Amino acid sequence: MKTLVWVEHDGQSVKDATFAAVTAAAKLGEVELLVAGQGVDGVAQAAAQIAGVAKVLVADDAAFAHNLAENVAPLVVELMGSHDAFLAAATTTAKNIAPRVAALLDVMQISEILSVEGPDSFTRPIYAGNAIATVKTSDPKLVLTVRGTAFDKAEATGGSAAVEAVTSTGDKGVSSFVGAEIAASERPELTSAKIIVSGGRALGSEEQFHALIDPLADKLNAAVGASRAAVDAGYAPNDYQVGQTGKIVAPEVYIAVGISGAIQHLAGMKDSKVIVAINKDEDAPIFQVADVGLVGDLFTVVPDLTAKL
Amino acid sequence: MKVLVPVKRVLDYNVKPRVKADGSGVDLANVKMSMNPFDEIAVEEAIRLKEKGVATEIVVVSIGEQKAQDTLRTALAMGADRAILITSETKVEPLGVAKLLKAVVDEEQPQLVILGKQAIDDDNNQTGQMLAALTGYAQGTFASKVEVAGDKVNVTREVDGGLETVALTLPAIVTTDLRLNEPRYASLPNIMKAKSKPLTAKTTADFGVDVSPRLTTVKVEEPAKRQAGVKVADVDELVGKLKTLGVVA
C-alpha cells in the first residue's frame, strides 16, 4: 500500500504531530509525504530527513499558503490517483481538510485512529473516549486522521528521501485568508503541552484562579486548563476548557486542582499519562482516576506546592 | 437569506455512555437523549442572524429515527421556522448524511448552512466539510465568530494555538465551535408554539442517493480502566512523588 502523509508545518519546521502520523502510515505500507505551502523548501528538506520516508512531494504555491481546504483538498485528491491512503495527524488543519478530501474521493473517513489493526481495520475513540470502536472499511482508498498521542513519533532524522515538486491545482477562488491571532502566551499550547495544570470551580473566583493556578503552571512550564464548571462560572476563558465539549488532552502529567471529576471532564483528560488530583473532598470522583491524590484545602496546598517545587 | 441548520439527536452529554455487554455498541435504551450541543450552538447562531435581520428563514433538518422529531421541535421552540425530518431505518454515516444534505441544499438553496463541528456520539467531525466538498462551497469550520457582509461571510476559526479568520463567498458552510455563542433555552410559550410550526416528513429513499454504510463496526469496548493510584498525606510527599515520576527535577 502506498500512503500519502500530510506534513503539518508553520512554514519553517515540521510540527510534532506529523511524526506520529508517519508511524501510523508505516504500519500500512510505503510512506510518501506531502508538503503544501508557499516558500516551503526548508520544510521539504526537513521532511526528507524523517526516517522511513520514501519520497517528499512538494506543492509550492500561494494558493496553499494558508492551508485553505478549498484549495488543498483538490491537490490531495489529484495525488490520491497514485496513492492508496491519505493520513494526517488530527490537528485543526487536518480536521478541516481531510473530510473534504474523503467526500471528493467518495470515501468514508476514519477519524482519530488509535491503532492500525490491519490494512482495512482501525480502532478509534467514540463518545469522547468513553468507548473504543474497532471499524473495518470497504472503501477502495483510505482517508484517516491520526490521534497524535496514540502513536510513537518517527525519528526526525536518518532518512534521505527524494524531494519532488508537484503541479499546483490552483486557487479555487471561493475563500481567502484574512488574518490570524495566534495566542502569544509564554505557556505551551493546551493540546500539545507535556504538563497541564487545570483549575475547577473550587477556586471560587477568577482572581483566585489566576493567583493560584498561574504560578504553579509557570513553575512547571505547564499549560493552563479548566473544568467546564470553572469556565461556566467565569473563572477562566472558554478556550481553557478541558472535557467532552472542550479540548481533549493527553499530556504526560495532568494536575487537577479543585476539580471534582464530572464525567464530561474526565472524558477530556483521562488518557493523560499521570494524573495528579488536589481536592478537599476525599470522595471526589477525580480520585478514582488519579495516580497521585492529595486531600486538602487547595488554598493552602497549591501555594505550598508552588513554593516547594 | 435562508439558513439551513442540520441537527442530530444524541445521548445527552451528562449521561455516562455504557458499552453493551455484547460489544455491539453503546446502550441507548431508556437513556436521556438531547440535541447535540454543537448543533444547539448552530441553531442559536442562525436565530441571532435572523434577529440581526441578516437571515430571513431558518430551516432545520434531522436525519435519523422518528424520535429525531423531538430534536427538531426543540430547534423550532428555540426559534427556527420550519423543519424537515428525514427518517432512516439504518444508521447513516457522515458521508451519507452529507449526500442527503446536498440534496436538501439543492432543493432549499440556502445561502448559509450552519452545522455543529461534530456530534458527541461518534466524534467524527466530518459532515460539514463533506457537505462543503459535495456542494463545492467554501467552508468555515470550528467557528467562534460569524459575520455576514454582502456576498461574503467572515468566519473566525478556533485553530490549534489561536484564531484564524477566513472570508468565504456565499453560499457557504459553517461549523460551530464552543465559543461561538451560548444557546438560549426555549420558553414554555415557545415550546407550545413550536408544536404548530411546519414539519415535513421524508425518508432517505425519497432522495435517491446511496447512503449504504462503508464502515462495519467490528466491536465496541470500554477503554482500559485506570487504576486509582495512591493518596499522599501532604505537600512534601506530593513533591517527592512528582520527583519520582520525573515531573520535576
Side-chain angles (χ1 to χ4, degrees):
Chain A
M1 193 183 296
K2 198 158 142 192
T3 71
L4 182 67
V5 176
W6 172 257
V7 174
E8 178 99 9
H9 64 86
D10 54 8
Q12 322 287 327
S13 55
V14 177
K15 293 245 191 144
D16 241 26
T18 308
F19 300 109
V22 168
T23 302
K27 290 178 191 287
L28 291 167
E30 189 182 327
V31 181
E32 295 194 356
L33 304 183
L34 170 61
V35 176
Q38 190 179 22
V40 288
D41 277 353
V43 177
Q45 294 307 327
Q49 311 277 308
I50 301 173
V53 173
K55 197 191 275 181
V56 178
L57 304 175
V58 186
D60 203 320
D61 187 351
F64 307 133
H66 299 287
N67 293 317
L68 293 168
E70 298 80 0
N71 296 343
V72 174
L75 170 73
V76 178
V77 168
E78 174 120 346
L79 295 172
M80 283 301 283
S82 55
H83 293 81
D84 307 298
F86 177 66
L87 292 91
T91 60
T92 48
T93 310
K95 287 180 190 174
N96 188 41
I97 295 168
R100 193 164 179 123
V101 171
L104 292 173
L105 292 170
D106 195 28
V107 163
M108 180 53 206
Q109 174 179 311
I110 304 175
S111 299
E112 305 240 3
I113 60 162
L114 300 172
S115 69
V116 175
E117 302 291 313
D120 56 0
S121 302
F122 307 89
T123 63
R124 59 175 305 267
I126 55 173
Y127 289 90
N130 281 299
I132 308 297
T134 304
V135 295
K136 196 175 160 80
T137 180
S138 59
D139 281 322
K141 287 187 192 280
L142 300 172
V143 176
L144 311 168
T145 63
V146 176
R147 181 162 286 190
T149 50
F151 291 87
D152 294 333
K153 292 181 169 56
E155 293 294 331
T157 55
S160 56
V163 177
E164 186 180 305
V166 295
T167 314
S168 170
T169 41
D171 191 333
K172 300 298 162 194
V174 291
S175 58
S176 59
F177 175 78
V178 178
E181 294 165 51
I182 299 304
S185 167
E186 296 287 302
R187 294 204 185 91
E189 203 184 294
L190 200 49
T191 45
S192 59
K194 289 204 160 51
I195 305 179
I196 295 173
V197 180
S198 263
R201 193 161 48 188
L203 283 147
S205 71
E206 189 183 353
E207 294 70 32
Q208 289 176 144
F209 187 98
H210 291 295
L212 288 159
I213 300 297
D214 292 3
L216 178 57
D218 289 341
K219 201 88 181 231
L220 293 165
N221 190 27
V224 176
S227 69
R228 182 171 178 152
V231 170
D232 283 349
Y235 304 166
N238 218 336
D239 57 334
Y240 278 34
Q241 191 185 319
V242 172
Q244 178 156 13
T245 50
K247 295 197 161 82
I248 311 278
V249 299
E252 303 277 324
V253 184
Y254 188 91
I255 304 180
V257 178
I259 291 175
S260 62
I263 295 157
Q264 82 93 24
H265 185 75
L266 298 182
M269 45 64 82
K270 68 184 171 54
D271 291 328
S272 307
K273 285 219 171 70
V274 175
I275 297 173
V276 177
I278 299 169
N279 202 299
K280 69 172 193 287
D281 174 11
E282 65 176 314
D283 296 322
I286 190 81
F287 287 121
Q288 289 163 22
V289 299
D291 300 281
V292 186
L294 175 56
V295 180
D297 179 8
L298 66 93
F299 293 101
T300 55
V301 167
V302 175
D304 195 15
L305 175 62
T306 307
K308 283 175 177 161
L309 284 173
Chain B
M1 170 169 113
K2 191 193 280 186
V3 180
L4 180 71
V5 184
V7 295
K8 187 177 186 185
R9 179 175 180 268
V10 297
L11 181 66
D12 187 87
Y13 80 92
N14 272 317
V15 177
K16 182 164 173 56
R18 294 202 187 283
V19 174
K20 284 196 255 185
D22 65 0
S24 64
V26 165
D27 195 355
L28 298 178
N30 305 314
V31 290
K32 188 183 176 199
M33 303 289 281
S34 300
M35 191 191 304
N36 177 40
F38 291 106
D39 301 350
E40 274 187 326
I41 295 171
V43 173
E44 176 66 33
E45 195 62 19
I47 297 167
R48 290 187 189 190
L49 286 173
K50 195 177 172 191
E51 287 170 346
K52 277 189 236 166
V54 176
T56 48
E57 189 188 21
I58 302 164
V59 181
V60 286
V61 56
S62 193
I63 297 158
E65 51 183 337
Q66 188 63 34
K67 282 180 182 162
Q69 191 179 142
D70 300 348
T71 309
L72 289 170
R73 290 288 174 204
T74 305
L76 293 171
M78 286 172 73
D81 297 298
R82 62 186 170 89
I84 303 167
L85 173 65
I86 305 172
T87 49
S88 168
E89 291 184 358
T90 52
K91 202 175 141 168
V92 187
E93 293 169 346
L95 183 62
V97 170
K99 288 179 179 179
L100 289 166
L101 292 177
K102 160 77 164 63
V104 174
V105 166
D106 287 345
E107 222 171 272
E108 295 284 343
Q109 296 290 316
Q111 283 294 292
L112 204 55
V113 185
I114 312 179
L115 308 88
K117 73 166 180 180
Q118 72 191 71
I120 62 165
D121 49 7
D122 286 340
D123 287 328
N124 278 310
N125 194 336
Q126 297 173 359
T127 306
Q129 297 89 315
M130 286 181 159
L131 177 60
L134 299 179
T135 53
Y137 294 167
Q139 64 188 54
T141 52
F142 327 142
S144 63
K145 197 172 170 193
V146 176
E147 279 177 323
V148 177
D151 62 348
K152 285 202 159 41
V153 58
N154 282 314
V155 179
T156 301
R157 308 178 52 232
E158 301 258 349
V159 294
D160 294 334
L163 299 171
E164 171 189 290
T165 304
V166 288
L168 315 175
T169 303
L170 292 171
I173 312 289
V174 169
T175 77
T176 64
D177 215 323
L178 275 180
R179 284 207 285 177
L180 184 57
N181 60 50
E182 266 184 51
R184 69 195 65 194
Y185 290 101
S187 67
L188 190 59
N190 284 345
I191 292 171
M192 299 311 290
K193 254 192 269 176
K195 290 184 181 161
S196 56
K197 285 187 179 175
L199 187 148
T200 312
K202 301 199 170 193
T203 67
T204 49
D206 295 336
F207 292 88
V209 291
D210 178 17
V211 296
S212 52
R214 309 293 181 84
L215 306 183
T216 323
T217 300
V218 179
K219 62 180 171 187
V220 174
E221 298 165 296
E222 297 242 0
K225 278 230 174 9
R226 283 191 86 98
Q227 299 287 325
V230 294
K231 285 220 175 90
V232 291
D234 54 29
V235 171
D236 291 321
E237 206 182 320
L238 177 57
V239 172
K241 201 80 195 166
L242 291 176
K243 282 185 178 158
T244 322
L245 293 165
V247 180
V248 288

